[in-house]
Amino acid sequence: MKLYEIAELTQGAFANRLETLSTDTETTKVKPLSLKEFNETLGLAYRISNEKDVKITVPKEKLLPQLLTDTNSLVLHTHTQKIALLPEKYSGLLLTNNFIKIQLASVVDKAFLEWYFNEHPSIQKQLAFLSEGTVNSLLKLSHLKDLEIELPTIQQQFIIGKIAQLKKKKESLMTEKNELQQLYIQQKLIQSMKNN
């Protein structure tokens, strides 16, 4: 089956088109989802450390629920071609045009689809084909809708999704452990110099 058959897909908005300086309309301040937060969710490194914590002013009537992050949807980054199931702490963020929101039908486990999209060879092959010959592999909404998806039973999806989440958690803890070990060794080396 195709992805559009099991999900509603919404392209994020151009922040500069939504932002307003007008005082005539009722507005609200909203923070856009950043690649830093997206990568953190996936346990990926993010090199730019000085990313600004920016909020933009948007007319309330333009701030549709489809443009905001939540814990019931997946988010795709069109450049990295990765999907993330965002945690509660990142709910209510504005999806900019680099992101696509994927709201799934009830017959699909979100954790399963995150793993399936990011790691299954059949999806990776389709994505490689779609970005073949392009300078920057930007995934378009029209291409995404037509991805061929193979779904096991909901019970199998749930088991695979749970295992994938545990694997991701283990990798995150191992990374944290390695960082702490490096800090400890560094401190011991500095201390040994002071003791001489």
Side-chain angles (χ1 to χ4, degrees):
M1 68 180 61
K2 305 254 185 223
L3 184 58
Y4 76 85
E5 296 176 74
I6 58 164
E8 185 182 316
L9 297 106
T10 309
Q11 182 85 45
F14 285 92
N16 58 348
R17 291 185 192 165
L18 274 184
E19 193 169 22
T20 184
L21 301 171
S22 170
T23 53
D24 300 347
T25 57
E26 195 177 346
T27 61
T28 187
K29 284 197 174 289
V30 66
K31 182 185 180 308
L33 175 66
S34 71
L35 187 55
K36 180 179 187 274
E37 293 150 340
F38 183 83
N39 283 353
E40 182 186 289
T41 300
L42 290 175
L44 301 172
Y46 186 73
R47 291 182 184 84
I48 301 170
S49 59
N50 61 348
E51 192 165 276
K52 298 167 193 79
D53 194 21
V54 179
K55 286 191 174 188
I56 62 169
T57 305
V58 178
K60 275 194 174 173
E61 79 268 4
K62 287 190 177 180
L63 207 55
L64 306 171
Q66 302 93 293
L67 295 177
L68 298 174
T69 58
D70 58 51
T71 55
N72 297 318
S73 307
L74 292 158
V75 175
L76 170 103
H77 187 256
T78 57
H79 293 284
T80 62
Q81 300 180 354
K82 294 286 182 194
I83 279 184
L85 179 55
L86 299 173
E88 180 71 41
K89 67 179 178 177
Y90 295 143
S91 283
L93 300 178
L94 177 68
L95 292 168
T96 57
N97 61 309
N98 292 332
F99 295 101
I100 294 173
K101 186 174 187 175
I102 302 170
Q103 295 170 282
L104 296 168
S106 58
V107 293
V108 186
D109 181 68
K110 296 180 291 274
F112 165 78
L113 194 70
E114 180 186 52
W115 167 82
Y116 183 74
F117 193 93
N118 292 338
E119 298 186 35
H120 197 277
S122 76
I123 292 290
Q124 297 309 307
K125 190 176 176 182
Q126 289 179 69
L127 292 175
F129 177 76
L130 289 173
S131 59
E132 208 174 289
T134 58
V135 177
N136 58 352
S137 53
L138 181 69
L139 190 58
K140 293 183 179 147
L141 184 62
S142 56
H143 293 149
L144 183 62
K145 286 181 176 184
D146 288 331
L147 282 179
E148 267 312 316
I149 304 291
E150 190 179 316
L151 289 179
T153 65
I154 191 70
Q155 292 85 358
Q156 286 176 301
Q157 289 177 45
F158 182 74
I159 292 167
I160 293 168
K162 199 73 179 154
I163 291 168
Q165 283 185 316
L166 290 171
K167 176 182 170 247
K168 193 164 68 167
K169 180 74 175 161
K170 179 185 175 191
E171 288 167 357
S172 169
L173 291 170
M174 294 297 285
T175 301
E176 189 179 340
K177 177 186 170 193
N178 287 338
E179 288 169 2
L180 291 171
Q181 282 177 335
Q182 293 302 318
L183 277 173
Y184 176 76
I185 292 167
Q186 181 72 3
Q187 290 303 316
K188 283 294 182 191
L189 292 171
I190 291 168
Q191 252 179 344
S192 71
M193 280 181 66
K194 287 178 183 174
N195 293 341
N196 286 340

